[in-house]
Amino acid sequence: MNDNERSLIRCVCKNDMDMAKQYAKLILSENKAKSNERFCADMLRQLETKKSFELPPNLQSMLFVEDPLETMNVNRYYLSTRESKIAERIMQLNAVSKKLAELGVNYVNSTLLYGNSGTGKTTFGRYIAYRLGLPFAYLNFSHVINEYLGGTVKNLTNIFDFVKQKKFVLMLDEIDAVGIKRGTKSEVGELSRIVIGLMQCLDNLTSDTVLIAATNRIDILDPALLRRFTVKHRIIELNRIESKEMIHMFFSDVGVSIDETEADFLAATEGSQAELMNQMVMMLVQKFSREGEMTVS
Ligand SMILES: Nc1ncnc2c1ncn2[C@@H]1O[C@H](COP(=O)(O)OP(=O)(O)OP(=O)(O)O)[C@@H](O)[C@H]1O
Ligand SMILES: [Mg+2]
């Protein structure tokens, strides 16, 4: 056992996890054995990324940060050509964000996704984080508004200040929970103040933040808030050809074969991508149940 390994064990016994992680990093980076190379690279990556996920205590119940490498299965994600164009645009902007900032050009990489429930708005945000190799910071406005009505503007300011210090893909989900038109019947004084506060937060963002917002009620959003998003994109339900591609991707990833009649049957599913996913899972269950019956008999 070498000194670093001894120190690591000492830290674990004292429950000093911060120092234990430092020694673990040292041990991993000093490893010379070829057979451990992949393991060490993987563990180092996890230690580096996990560290950047640590949220200040006052944000922990509002903002959720995840590693999209762990939560996004791209083998089951169907990217239509419509969303592919938007993804390319977001990534292109991200690649030149530093240059834009150096030139004093402030162009916020902000996209508003809208469309029916279950069409994959939140999943698209996670996919972008995956493609950019960045943590996915997720803020659901309906949670913020329910729990923190009084101090929402302060909370939003804290969240945006935190997000600006590190590089994240920030997803503002269900933005209609706070972004409703000011001066309409449904206006509540506090909500109106929140919209203004949110817009101020958005105005202070720099071009290196990747911001994605989502709503299924674009019709009730404040026009001034809408203007803050440089791209507004509607995600629609898949057509039959696209559905079939999504079906084949899914079944190939789970390693279960499916014939053309079954695929056609599934592709005829009416509704959203989420609905199609439900039907595919149902078919999988039926297939497994049949297999089980055959094994028993
Ligand atoms: N493009 C896609 N490829 C594969 N599965 C998808 C896709 N889009 C959506 N899904 C499936 O549908 C589920 C729901 O998607 P998601 O939560 O992203 O929809 P949403 O538009 O955000 O819905 P809501 O408006 O209700 O929040 C996902 O968990 C996933 O299983
Ligand atoms: Mg969603």
Side-chain angles (χ1 to χ4, degrees):
M1 202 182 286
N2 65 30
D3 283 351
N4 285 338
E5 288 164 345
R6 241 178 255 123
S7 301
L8 167 67
I9 294 170
R10 210 171 285 128
C11 291
V12 173
C13 292
K14 283 199 286 185
N15 209 15
D16 183 352
M17 282 311 175
D18 283 339
M19 275 317 284
K21 282 180 189 169
Q22 294 307 322
Y23 281 110
K25 273 200 222 170
L26 265 178
I27 295 166
L28 292 165
S29 51
E30 282 172 2
N31 165 71
K32 297 279 178 294
K34 193 102 191 122
S35 56
N36 290 333
E37 212 171 76
R38 236 180 110 180
F39 169 80
C40 291
D42 195 30
M43 291 300 116
L44 267 173
R45 185 188 63 74
Q46 284 198 30
L47 281 168
E48 299 291 349
T49 38
K50 286 270 154 51
K51 185 116 190 86
S52 67
F53 289 0
E54 276 162 27
L55 290 171
N58 60 334
L59 301 185
Q60 277 172 6
S61 59
M62 295 183 285
L63 191 68
F64 301 93
V65 183
E66 55 181 56
D67 180 357
L69 287 174
E70 283 172 12
T71 56
M72 179 80 205
N73 184 346
V74 276
N75 297 333
R76 294 178 197 177
Y77 178 65
Y78 177 74
L79 185 70
S80 74
T81 41
R82 297 174 295 277
E83 276 75 62
S84 168
K85 280 187 196 140
I86 301 297
E88 291 310 319
R89 194 177 180 286
I90 294 172
M91 287 185 296
Q92 222 173 26
L93 254 177
N94 184 60
V96 298
S97 65
K98 259 209 178 105
K99 195 161 180 89
L100 288 179
E102 279 164 17
L103 295 171
V105 179
N106 202 16
Y107 187 88
V108 180
N109 197 347
S110 57
T111 306
L112 175 68
L113 303 171
Y114 62 102
N116 293 340
S117 177
T119 47
K121 300 181 290 296
T122 307
T123 313
F124 180 79
R126 195 171 275 122
Y127 170 74
I128 293 294
Y130 175 91
R131 286 290 304 273
L132 293 174
L134 292 174
F136 182 60
Y138 175 86
L139 178 70
N140 188 317
F141 272 106
S142 57
H143 297 166
V144 175
I145 203 87
N146 286 343
E147 293 172 39
Y148 301 97
L149 191 63
T152 305
V153 175
K154 177 117 200 49
N155 287 324
L156 284 175
T157 315
N158 288 339
I159 289 165
F160 276 77
D161 283 348
F162 171 74
V163 170
K164 266 194 290 186
Q165 292 164 27
K166 318 212 175 197
K167 187 116 185 164
F168 288 114
V169 168
L170 174 62
M171 174 121 208
L172 307 179
D173 216 356
E174 303 190 20
I175 198 169
D176 45 277
V178 297
I180 59 166
K181 285 177 192 151
R182 287 162 294 160
T184 58
K185 254 195 209 155
S186 44
E187 181 209 290
V188 185
E190 179 61 17
L191 275 181
S192 182
R193 270 192 294 280
I194 296 169
V195 181
I196 295 168
L198 173 61
M199 290 194 292
Q200 281 165 351
C201 289
L202 295 175
D203 289 343
N204 287 331
L205 284 177
T206 49
S207 49
D208 62 343
T209 306
V210 181
L211 177 73
I212 297 175
T215 179
N216 32 35
R217 290 302 310 272
I218 195 167
D219 56 311
I220 61 164
L221 285 189
D222 193 305
L225 179 63
L226 281 177
R227 196 170 57 73
R228 262 61 184 188
F229 293 93
T230 44
V231 175
K232 292 171 251 319
H233 174 73
R234 179 169 173 227
I235 302 196
I236 57 171
E237 285 76 7
L238 303 180
N239 63 35
R240 280 202 189 196
I241 298 168
E242 293 168 332
S243 294
K244 261 183 109 166
E245 285 179 42
M246 177 168 150
I247 292 162
H248 285 300
M249 271 180 95
F250 176 79
F251 280 94
S252 130
D253 191 52
V254 293
V256 170
S257 60
I258 177 168
D259 63 35
E260 276 313 293
T261 319
E262 289 171 320
D264 283 333
F265 172 77
L266 285 172
T269 306
E270 297 266 327
S272 66
Q273 288 77 333
E275 202 58 54
L276 177 58
M277 183 56 83
N278 285 342
Q279 293 301 323
M280 292 195 294
V281 175
M282 289 286 286
M283 186 172 280
L284 203 58
V285 171
Q286 280 168 6
K287 278 176 178 280
F288 287 152
S289 310
R290 256 182 266 138
E291 269 173 29
E293 278 165 23
M294 273 152 68
T295 329
V296 172
S297 60

